[in-house]
């Protein structure tokens, strides 16, 4: 069924439905049209057509309390009539499409053209072929057989192009396959709670059928359309469908419509499912998208599809497209796959290639993150730099060869241009062209995108084992640059297994669980009722799975702790709940981050009301005016009693790292009935029953993980909703703060007071004063978390831009997770909304998995550096050899096909070998690289140039005196189709051997001595090196004409290998030279300015300047104008030199001109004193100017 297109799927359902219409009281069509109504219209329609929601349940043969019977035939029938909760994904690209895409590579196209021309010419034998008059300076007649073999070179080039294309296509294909696998894995894991046969069960989202009674709660993402039956305080964020950001309150009589793809922001309840899969609201949108896409495709495949699907996806379902858009084509399929099972589980993005997709792509990427990932920015820049160099070299090579040939033939030897000789000359020119192209091919590191892809894909696969499920590939690499982690406390740093360990009941502070007999019976009854009724009924404590294990906690962990307390007091909460089932609860004020408490109102037998409340102790105690005494009688509780209680009970508990929860109640008369919507009056005058201290122990592995982070230069901050004393105690246990250090622990209120000015606006300067020392932010709201993350990211306080990772589990953490450079969502405790906003999901909710992510991220970066170090050495050498060889001997010592083989080793195999190095703990011993560190450090530059010197020396020695050393014929100055010489074969072989041994050297990039360290931990590396060696033997001994090789003797082989081994020795020599001495080495691949920051943001910092300063500035304006002109000129020159963004210079120019027009708005990041106004921020500091 999977590959059925949407339209087939649709029509099939329609057919089924007409035949089965009578079995249920309503057809799929009726239900679908009902779900398209909103609000009051829907209520009226339900009343007119069906009576009420219960009547609809009866027609669908389901019970609002018991749910469906859950028998297989019944479920099957429902699936047949109403469809499955599944949206068929778009078909993936076929292998052939991927091959076609790989063929679009410019260098490959140039090669193909060259090869085809070469082939064509080799089959063309003009009449003047034998004419001696045409023979050029390099005389020597050809054998007949040799002339026949002229086609081989072209064919071999084509063959190697095919190899490269197939490898690339296969890579893309396997990547796509991996992601589809991941996708389906994530979807299978997505479960939803429904009631079947009176039992609450969790079933995969795809199994939901029409008529199911689903339980919805805070944080859920609705998997299907339905009608609200019963619940409390349910608020839904429907922005993904309507675009309205306000939360919609749902109730049976006002607005009972619950739509798939929307988020539950507050409350809980039950709904009866009325539409699933392609018939749900989200499904309909996707069907439209899919159908739209297909028609458009026929018209104009590429353009239309991309645009149509991405725009439609954008407008129709913003939440599903995670703000990061890939080319529309893929996107629609991703969103569709993501929407499978009706729940937007997860969107996987195909890796952006290192060349950074098309411009359109960048614009969309901008919507989410301002900057390209650090690595991509550096790589793109480097690839461009290398490409330009290669182009220049190859052009020069061709020009020199052509000039030399024409001058030599027509000027020196004064040969006339004979018409019958033309083809021979053209053949020479083609040969020169091919040599030029080979130089270019070798120079351009087309292995870079491959290396990045392999490295990231490999890491992502392995990170799964380390409990990191990566949703956006570049997050994996960004994590290696992280400088700050803002972590939640509960569940991430702690085990999230709550147990009550202290209690204050009846005027006594018990340091451990009290004996049940010591508590007054009245108090006990109130306590048990208050805890059992005033907590979600989905929260339970179940018997342990294994003998001797701890009881299982299901649902909200704090409530589990309280229920555990009831059980510890030898009481039972089940009878209380069965006596007062959920339907009978009169009113529920659910917990949210503003209230910080939860209350439930019940109707007592005598018609009066009682409300049970529980919540953060300092908040609930403020609302208590009575407290139960030892005798179980309420007595007055004055503010000063409260202060004393805070000092004597709550603070000591908090200092032990306990969470304090206060349980209270209040009775209301039956008439007049209180105004339940006036929360302030209702939640007041409470009577405190008890205060408990709940312990949530720190995970045993966390302190070690945090120590590793700190050693690795990453600051860990704890952001929690808990009381500040609790938070501080846990932070000390974790090692986030060490007594005696200079750090800040703030509460949300204090934090806000410090960062806002008198008008209540947040000021970046104020945040900058706080965040460097801030370690704990307690009692914080989700907005505080977002503010902090944004403040750290936008800060210019440090010279490096901070890269921030954030962990979160709640729906309210969404904004912070999205804002952060890397958002981690909790896989177990996390809500769907949090997972949707995150980049990586921690499948075990454990902080130490974040440290693993850092390790993998740094490893990706290092792998690419290793690959670059190796690749560039080969590039430099191959280009210089081909270039000088061509200029001096009119023929490259390394032939086109050999170059392509070298390219294959360098690119594809080396990227496989070096990109799959497993990470080691040593990666955590250094500071993060940051944005401004160049991709190729000085040490690497030293290695590249050092090895290049060694290789060039040996190759040129072999080229010019090799024939004397080995007593063989010289291969220089051979005529056009002459047979391959041993001389050039030795050069080729030596070259490859040196690369093989240098590959081992490339394993270390920080100048370590032991290059073999841990080599056997990487079987792929060993396999590739040995494999390449074996293939090389085959090529040299049996490659013959296509590879321009002639077989070598054993002693010649030994020399080649010996020279190769010299690489390892030479590597040690290079390692001895201190890098600090080599000042002349330039670094490459440095990101100077941040990429792509929208203009508006640049203008935000404009500040008003008072009059005195304005007077001072008058004189400077003239200075500015003068300086500015000179600067702009210097800059333009530099820009052209370095190829940096020309716009950058122009933009600066414009900002300076505006400055001279209106001095009041001097756009400088902060006030500039007179002394440094001359080198005002608009002017480049000398260092930057020197860089060009």
């Amino acid at each position: 069924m999977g590959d059925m297109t949407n339209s087939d799927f649709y029509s099939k359902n329609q057919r089924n439905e007409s035949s089965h219409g009578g079995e249920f009281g309503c057809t799929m069509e009726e239900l679908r049209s009902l779900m398209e109504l909103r609000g009051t219209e829907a209520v009226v329609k339900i009343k007119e057509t069906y009576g009420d929601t219960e009547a609809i349940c009866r027609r669908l043969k389901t019970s609002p309390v018991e749910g469906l019977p859950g028998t297989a035939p019944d479920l099957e029938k429902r699936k047949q009539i109403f469809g499955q909760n599944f949206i068929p994904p778009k078909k993936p690209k076929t292998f052939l499409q991927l091959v076609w895409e790989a063929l679009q590579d410019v260098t490959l196209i140039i090669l193909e053209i060259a090869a085809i021309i070469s082939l064509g010419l080799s089959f063309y034998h003009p009449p003047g072929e034998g004419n001696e008059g045409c023979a050029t300076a390099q005389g020597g007649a050809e054998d007949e057989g040799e002339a026949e073999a002229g086609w081989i070179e072209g064919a071999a080039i084509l063959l190697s192009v095919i190899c490269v294309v197939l490898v690339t296509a296969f890579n893309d294909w396997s990547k796509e396959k991996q992601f589809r696998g991941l996708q389906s894995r994530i979807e299978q894991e997505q479960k939803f709670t429904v009631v079947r046969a009176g039992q609450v069960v969790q079933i995969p989202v795809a199994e939901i059928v029409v008529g199911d009674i689903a339980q919805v709660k805070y944080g859920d993402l609705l998997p299907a359309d339905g009608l609200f039956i019963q619940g409390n305080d349910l608020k839904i964020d429907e922005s993904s469908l309507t675009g309205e950001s306000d939360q919609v309150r749902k109730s049976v009589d006002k607005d009972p419509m619950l739509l798939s793809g929307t988020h539950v922001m507050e409350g809980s309840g039950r709904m009866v499912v009325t539409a699933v899969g392609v018939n749900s609201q989200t499904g309909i949108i996707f069907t439209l998208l899919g159908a739209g896409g297909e028609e458009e495709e026929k018209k104009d495949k590429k353009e239309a599809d991309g645009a149509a699907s991405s725009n439609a996806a954008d407008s129709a379902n913003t939440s599903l497209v995670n703000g990061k858009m890939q080319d529309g084509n893929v996107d629609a399929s991703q969103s569709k796959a993501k929407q499978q099972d009706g729940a937007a589980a997860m969107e996987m993005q195909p890796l952006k290639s290192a060349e950074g997709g098309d411009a359109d792509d960048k614009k969309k990427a901008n919507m989410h993150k301002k900057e390209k990932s650090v690595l991509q920015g550096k790589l793109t820049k480097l690839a461009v730099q290398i490409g330009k160099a290669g182009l220049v070299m190859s052009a020069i090579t061709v020009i020199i060869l052509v000039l030399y040939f024409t001058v030599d033939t027509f000027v020196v030897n004064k040969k006339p241009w004979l018409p019958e000789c033309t083809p021979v000359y053209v053949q020479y020119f083609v040969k020169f062209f091919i040599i030029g192209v080979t130089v270019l091919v070798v120079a351009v590191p087309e292995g870079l995108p491959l290396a990045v892809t392999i490295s990231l894909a490999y890491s992502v696969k392995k990170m799964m084992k380390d409990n990191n499920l990566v949703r956006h590939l570049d997050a994996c690499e960004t994590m290696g640059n992280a400088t700050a982690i803002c972590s939640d406390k509960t569940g991430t740093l702690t085990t999230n297994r709550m147990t009550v360990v202290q209690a204050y009941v009846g005027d006594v502070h018990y340091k451990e669980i009290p004996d049940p007999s010591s508590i007054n019976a009245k108090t006990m009854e109130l306590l048990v009722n208050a805890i059992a009724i005033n907590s979600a009924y989905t929260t339970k404590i179940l018997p342990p799975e294994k003998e001797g294990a701890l009881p299982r906690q299901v649902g909200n962990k704090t409530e589990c702790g309280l229920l555990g307390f009831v059980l510890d007091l030898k009481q039972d909460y089940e009878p209380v709940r069965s006596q007062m089932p959920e339907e009978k609860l009169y009113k529920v004020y659910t917990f949210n981050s503003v209230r910080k408490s939860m209350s439930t109102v019940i109707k007592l037998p005598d018609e009066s009301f009682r409300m049970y409340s529980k919540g953060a102790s300092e908040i609930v105690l403020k609302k208590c005016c009575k407290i139960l005494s030892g005798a179980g009688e309420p007595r007055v509780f004055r503010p000063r009693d409260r202060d004393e209680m805070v000092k004597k009970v709550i603070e000591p508990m908090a200092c032990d790292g306990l969470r304090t929860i206060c349980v209270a109640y209040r009775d209301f008369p039956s008439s007049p009935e209180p105004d339940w919507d006036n929360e302030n009056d209702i939640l007041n005058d409470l009577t405190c029953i008890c205060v408990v201290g709940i312990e949530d122990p720190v995970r045993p592995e966390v302190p070690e993980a945090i120590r590793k982070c700190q050693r690795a230069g990453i600051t860990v901050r704890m952001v929690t909703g808990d009381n500040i004393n609790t938070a501080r105690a846990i932070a000390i246990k974790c090692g986030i703060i060490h007594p005696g250090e200079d750090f800040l622990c703030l509460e949300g209120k204090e934090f806000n007071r410090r960062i806002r000015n008198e008008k209540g606006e947040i000021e970046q300067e104020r945040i900058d004063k706080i965040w460097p020392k801030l370690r704990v932010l307690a009692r914080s709201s989700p907005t505080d978390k977002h503010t902090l993350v944004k403040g750290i990211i936008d800060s210019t306080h440090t010279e490096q831009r901070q890269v921030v990772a954030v962990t979160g589990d709640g729906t309210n953490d969404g904004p912070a997770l999205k804002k952060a450079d890397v958002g981690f969502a909790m896989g177990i405790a996390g809500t769907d909304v949090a997972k949707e906003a995150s980049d990586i999901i921690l499948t075990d909710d454990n902080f130490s998995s974040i440290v693993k992510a850092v390790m993998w991220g740094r490893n990706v970066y290092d792998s690419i550096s290793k690959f670059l170090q190796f690749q560039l050495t080969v590039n430099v050498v191959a280009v210089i050899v081909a270039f000088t060889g061509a200029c001096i001997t009119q023929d490259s010592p390394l032939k086109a096909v050999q170059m392509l083989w070298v390219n294959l080793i360098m690119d594809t195999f080396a990227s496989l070998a070096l990109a799959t190095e497993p990470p080691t703990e040593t990666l955590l011993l250094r500071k993060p690289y940051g944005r401004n560190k160049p991709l190729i450090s000085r040490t690497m530059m030293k290695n590249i140039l050092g090895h290049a010197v060694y290789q060039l020396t040996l190759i040129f020695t072999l080229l010019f005196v090799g024939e004397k050393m080995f007593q063989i014929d010289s291969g220089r100055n051979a005529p056009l189709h002459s047979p391959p010489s041993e001389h050039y074969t030795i050069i080729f072989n030596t070259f490859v051997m040196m690369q093989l041994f240098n590959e081992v050297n490339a394993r270390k990039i920080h100048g370590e001595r032991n290059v073999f360290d841990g080599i056997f931990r990487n079987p792929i590396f060993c396999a590739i090196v040995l494999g390449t060696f074996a293939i090389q033997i085959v090529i040299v001994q049996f490659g013959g004409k296509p590879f321009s090789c002639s077989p070598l003797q054993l002693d010649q082989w030994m020399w080649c290998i010996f020279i190769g081994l010299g690489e390892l020795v030479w590597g040690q020599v290079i390692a001895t030279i201190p890098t600090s001495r080599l000042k002349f080495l330039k670094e490459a691949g440095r990101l100077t300015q941040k990429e792509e920051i929208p203009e508006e943001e640049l203008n935000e910092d404009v500040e008003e300047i008072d009059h005195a300063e304005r007077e001072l500035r008058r004189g400077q304006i003239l200075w500015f104008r003068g300086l500015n002109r000179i600067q702009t000129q210097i800059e333009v020159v530099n820009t052209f030199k370095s190829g940096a963004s020309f716009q950058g210079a122009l933009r600066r120019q414009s900002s300076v001109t505006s400055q001279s027009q209106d001095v009041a708005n001097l756009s400088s990041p902060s006030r500039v004193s007179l002394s440094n106004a001359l080198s005002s921020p608009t002017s480049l500091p000398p260092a930057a100017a020197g860089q060009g």
Side-chain angles (χ1 to χ4, degrees), residues 227 280 301-302 304 405 485 513 647 748 750 944 1095 1179 1182:
L227 295 173
S280 66
K301 181 131 187 214
K302 210 151 186 184
F405 175 76
I485 297 176
I513 299 289
K647 270 200 200 67
E750 172 65 9
I944 292 172
E1095 298 283 275
S1179 64

Side-chain angles (χ1 to χ4, degrees), residues 880-931:
I880 294 180
V881 167
F883 176 68
T884 40
C887 298
I888 298 172
T889 66
Q890 282 74 63
D891 185 11
S892 168
L894 298 173
K895 299 287 180 286
V897 181
Q898 295 175 349
M899 286 281 213
L900 285 164
W901 161 238
V902 169
N903 219 20
L904 198 70
I905 305 180
M906 297 185 331
D907 287 358
T908 316
F909 295 156
S911 61
L912 256 176
L914 293 168
T916 51
E917 289 267 316
T920 56
E921 289 282 328
T922 48
L923 288 167
L924 294 175
L925 297 177
R926 62 171 175 75
K927 299 272 180 279
Y929 282 148
R931 293 193 160 262

Side-chain angles (χ1 to χ4, degrees), residues 386 404 863 930 1056:
I386 296 174
Y404 189 95
S863 295
C1056 293

Side-chain angles (χ1 to χ4, degrees), residues 136 318 391 1180:
T136 56
T318 351
L391 204 61
L1180 276 178

Side-chain angles (χ1 to χ4, degrees), residues 100-127:
W100 176 243
E101 276 176 20
L103 280 170
Q104 311 294 312
D105 191 66
V106 186
T107 31
L108 288 181
I109 294 174
I110 297 177
L111 267 184
E112 287 154 23
I113 295 170
I116 290 166
I117 295 175
S118 156
L119 268 179
L121 285 170
S122 66
F123 291 127
Y124 176 53
H125 296 295

